[in-house]
Amino acid sequence: MSTPSAPPPCPHLAAHRLSSRPLRFLRRCLRVRPLGRPEIRRDPRELPRCSPCAAASPSPSPRLYACLSCAAVFCPSHAASHASASAGPGHQIAVDVDRAELFCAACGDQVYDPDFDHAVFLAQSSSLLPSTSSTSPSPTPRKRRRVDYRAWAPDPAEFALMSSADPTTSASAAAPAGLRGLNNLGNTCFMNSVLQALLHAPPLRNYFLGDRHNRFLCPRRTPVRHRAAEADATKLACLACDLDEIYSAAFSGERMPYSPAKFLYSWWQHASNLASYEQQDAHEFFISILDHIHENIKDDQHKSHAQGHGDCCIAHRVFSGILRSDVTCTSCGFTSTTFEPCMDISLDLDVGDNTPFGVANTKPHVRNGERGLAGMNSKVSTLMRCLERFTRAERLDAEQKFFCERCGERQESLKQMSIRRLPLVSCFHIKRFEHSAVKKVSRKVDHCLQFPFSLDMAPYLSSSILRSRYGNRIFPAEASDADAVSELSSEFEIFAVITHSGKLEAGHYVTYLRLNNHWYKCDDAWVTRVEEHTVRTSQAYMLFYVQKTLYYKACERAAAV
Amino acid sequence: MSSSNDAPLSPRSQLALRCFEELLDCAVADVASECHRIARLGLDRSVDAEEEELRVWAARAAAGGDHHHPGGFGVAEEGGAGPGGGSKGGVDVFGQTHPAIAADVIECMNCGRPVVAGRFAPHLEKCMGKGRKARAKNTRSSTAGRTRSSNGIAASSYSPYSNAANTNRVNVPNGVTDGGCGTGGDHSSHVL
């Protein structure tokens, strides 16, 4: 999915462009209604009518076009006759009065023109007041220097060198490096599953294997000060150091399962409220250790506002993205925008929207292929639908009326989320556990979730969401805003899936890892190789995707050593 | 749209009907116009990819469910329903087997006692004085007979240890390590 590209014009549109004034001069004919809907400007009391229709029957047609050459108004059924009957060329192109879309009467089809879209875009931008953004943390659109992605493949000499040295490409290796079971220390499968996913997150793995946090040199380990509140004041636990130790153990080449006892001990020292021998939630654990790693190794100089920028610690650099939240007043169209950092995205499992013909959301997607899936179990959700649901405009409750600055009073509003900046690793948390505080019951949602192995996040970016909010107009190149993200950085590849099986209170977490194009199931100490369908049919609870440029896909080794 | 009953509609009903029809036509035209634009400008390529993905997924899920892989070398049958080991009677990808409760012995960082890995967490909980269970120092009587739901390991109920589960720090000489957990990791409780 990319920025909209102008299709080649039909011959009538091309002729019109040559013969008449540039279409952008139509801008003064445009008026933008609240919420960004453009239309042809008209007198408030003027009611456009189709003249041939008015003669035949008094009922007005809902869709009216105005000829660009003579401003005659007609309905679709009389469009062709106007084009052929009019004297002189150029009467084929008309504009939809209510939607500001070009129509070719000769072709009988809607046509698109970049200049006209530019005019609409300018009309829309000038009608919007500058939206407010909260100051923390609002990232300035700084242009980060981007490096172009260039594919690289080894030449035969390099390939021979790599094959001889690297155990992962040699035919004798039974399994990729870093693959190692983790012993269950007593209800700790929640911890093991998250650790397995982190062990194989490429940026995190590279950080620790690249000795960026050396546990023997970490300053936190030195008991420089005693904290009186801590019982063991001399033992300062650094979770990053313990994670470093786990990386060393996992990639040591040793294949017997490893017991992450020290990590558990350190984590319990930090998160005392979660320190108990009982099944924990894997997602809660994930957020907890990221938080504590941040606390441990954040650079003190970058304290306050840098959290969103991700320069503070490796946890943020890898997982932190920025979400954009737009709240729009339905009465006047004023939009208030806030940005907030996020370490993962929690998605509701949308079960109700899944009819075979479902177009339940407001996004006008073409879904004609779904009829072929009518025989499928209707309880299948897909990750992309969950993301669509996450990024669609929701009408807030009447109780949550938003105070509109322009109107000066509380109004009903629409809220829409989008992704301002993607992290290196996207973690999606599927909300399978529903807790009702009122009824004091919790239940698990068992529905299966389909997820792709390659994911393009472009439709969920702020740039795409904003563009579709204003009618998907073709933006001219110089007018594209600083939010534009290059296409390459929105493609992701999956590398880990944490699944939950069983009931809410008595369940089991398992991690599936994708290494060298094979899937491995990490069930505590048991690491086995599984087929794709096992992963596809599992109950995904947390999904980990890494940016495609950081994902090394092993080539098929048919021709190798 | 025609009404179902035969009686002629009142002028007011006719007006209301025409209003509704116009609104409906308008809404349909809105959606059609947007979809036309999206399709013509090429913005829906991702939808095709998604549908293809869904078809492939459905086909593979259906096909895969029919197969039953024998518990051979390193291939598991289904996705993680059973605790403590994917292939019953099989081996893992390295050709190893593992007991239901991890048998490696770890030296506790808090008290220094050797603890079986599979029971390390409950021991540590008592040892550190965390959790709901660890109240008084003499916990043996209070924890006896309490069972917990199984969570991932075959040993379903949490039973008190036969040795005294005291939370005092006892200076036990570092005897039984058995090579630690068979790893290169450092499990001593030294402070670095």
Side-chain angles (χ1 to χ4, degrees), chain A residues 475-537:
Chain A
F475 287 162
E478 61 272 11
S480 60
D481 54 45
D483 280 341
V485 179
S486 80
E487 293 170 23
L488 285 174
S489 62
S490 68
E491 291 184 3
F492 283 77
E493 290 286 326
I494 196 170
F495 66 91
V497 180
I498 297 182
T499 67
H500 183 272
S501 55
K503 297 199 291 290
L504 185 76
E505 303 82 19
H508 186 55
Y509 289 104
V510 162
T511 303
Y512 292 98
L513 294 176
R514 184 172 166 209
L515 302 169
N516 291 356
N517 277 343
H518 297 305
W519 281 97
Y520 296 89
K521 174 181 169 188
C522 300
D523 183 351
D524 287 327
W526 290 85
V527 178
T528 51
R529 194 174 138 186
V530 295
E531 297 299 313
E532 273 188 17
H533 79 267
T534 308
V535 182
R536 290 181 196 272
T537 53

Side-chain angles (χ1 to χ4, degrees), chain A residues 377-549:
Chain A
N377 182 3
S378 64
K379 280 193 178 172
V380 171
S381 319
T382 73
L383 177 69
M384 298 184 77
R385 273 189 219 134
C386 290
L387 283 169
E388 273 176 38
R389 186 186 157 117
F390 179 75
T391 54
R392 77 173 158 197
E394 303 239 352
R395 193 170 276 269
L396 296 181
D397 290 341
E399 292 89 42
Q400 300 176 38
K401 278 191 181 171
F402 153 76
F403 181 78
C404 173
E405 290 176 23
R406 216 204 291 191
C407 296
E409 55 178 319
R410 291 195 172 274
Q411 302 281 7
E412 287 206 357
S413 49
L414 294 171
K415 179 173 175 180
Q416 187 164 35
M417 305 290 299
S418 57
I419 301 175
R420 165 76 169 89
R421 192 177 79 195
L422 289 164
L424 297 182
V425 173
S426 286
C427 171
F428 298 112
H429 165 231
I430 311 298
K431 293 200 265 188
R432 288 188 178 274
F433 303 120
E434 296 180 345
H435 304 280
S436 166
V438 174
K439 295 185 251 179
K440 294 258 194 283
V441 279
S442 306
R443 70 181 191 100
K444 180 188 169 192
V445 182
D446 267 318
H447 301 119
C448 217
L449 179 80
Q450 181 272 340
F451 50 91
F453 289 175
S454 302
L455 177 68
D456 187 3
M457 292 291 289
Y460 317 110
L461 294 176
S462 299
S463 51
S464 305
I465 298 291
L466 286 177
R467 190 184 60 222
S468 75
R469 194 189 293 166
Y470 294 113
N472 284 315
R473 299 285 164 169
I474 306 167
F475 287 162
E478 61 272 11
S480 60
D481 54 45
D483 280 341
V485 179
S486 80
E487 293 170 23
L488 285 174
S489 62
S490 68
E491 291 184 3
F492 283 77
E493 290 286 326
I494 196 170
F495 66 91
V497 180
I498 297 182
T499 67
H500 183 272
S501 55
K503 297 199 291 290
L504 185 76
E505 303 82 19
H508 186 55
Y509 289 104
V510 162
T511 303
Y512 292 98
L513 294 176
R514 184 172 166 209
L515 302 169
N516 291 356
N517 277 343
H518 297 305
W519 281 97
Y520 296 89
K521 174 181 169 188
C522 300
D523 183 351
D524 287 327
W526 290 85
V527 178
T528 51
R529 194 174 138 186
V530 295
E531 297 299 313
E532 273 188 17
H533 79 267
T534 308
V535 182
R536 290 181 196 272
T537 53
S538 62
Q539 282 190 4
Y541 180 57
M542 292 174 73
L543 297 162
F544 291 86
Y545 288 84
V546 66
Q547 289 206 1
K548 188 173 166 184
T549 52

Side-chain angles (χ1 to χ4, degrees), chain A residues 59-60 62, chain B residues 1 11-27:
Chain A
S59 59
Chain B
M1 257 181 11
R12 188 195 252 175
S13 299
Q14 279 179 1
L15 212 57
L17 196 61
R18 271 222 307 274
C19 241
F20 174 74
E21 283 173 9
E22 187 172 331
L23 284 172
L24 185 64
D25 281 346
C26 209

Side-chain angles (χ1 to χ4, degrees), chain A residues 159 166 168-169 176 514-518 551-557:
Chain A
F159 192 84
D166 184 3
T168 62
T169 54
R514 184 172 166 209
L515 302 169
N516 291 356
N517 277 343
H518 297 305
Y551 180 74
Y552 311 133
K553 253 186 179 164
C555 55
E556 291 308 305
R557 303 199 314 263

Side-chain angles (χ1 to χ4, degrees), chain A residues 1 99 101 109 112 117 180 183 185 187 221 277-278 366 471-472 501 505 512 526-527 529 532 536, chain B residues 30 36-37 40 43 47 57 60 74-75 79-80 85 92-94 98 104 109 121 125 148 151 183 192:
Chain A
M1 175 137 172
R99 291 171 198 90
E101 292 280 14
D109 199 8
Y112 304 97
D117 276 358
R180 190 171 177 186
N183 280 325
L185 307 176
N187 282 350
R221 288 295 197 169
Y277 164 67
E278 57 187 355
V366 177
N472 284 315
S501 55
E505 303 82 19
Y512 292 98
W526 290 85
V527 178
R529 194 174 138 186
E532 273 188 17
R536 290 181 196 272
Chain B
D30 279 346
H36 189 278
R37 172 176 273 273
R40 193 54 67 87
L43 293 174
V47 179
W57 180 89
R60 291 201 186 161
V75 179
D92 70 6
V93 71
F94 310 114
H98 310 284
D104 295 333
M109 303 97 201
E125 187 189 30
R148 293 199 49 118
N151 272 329
T183 74
L192 288 172

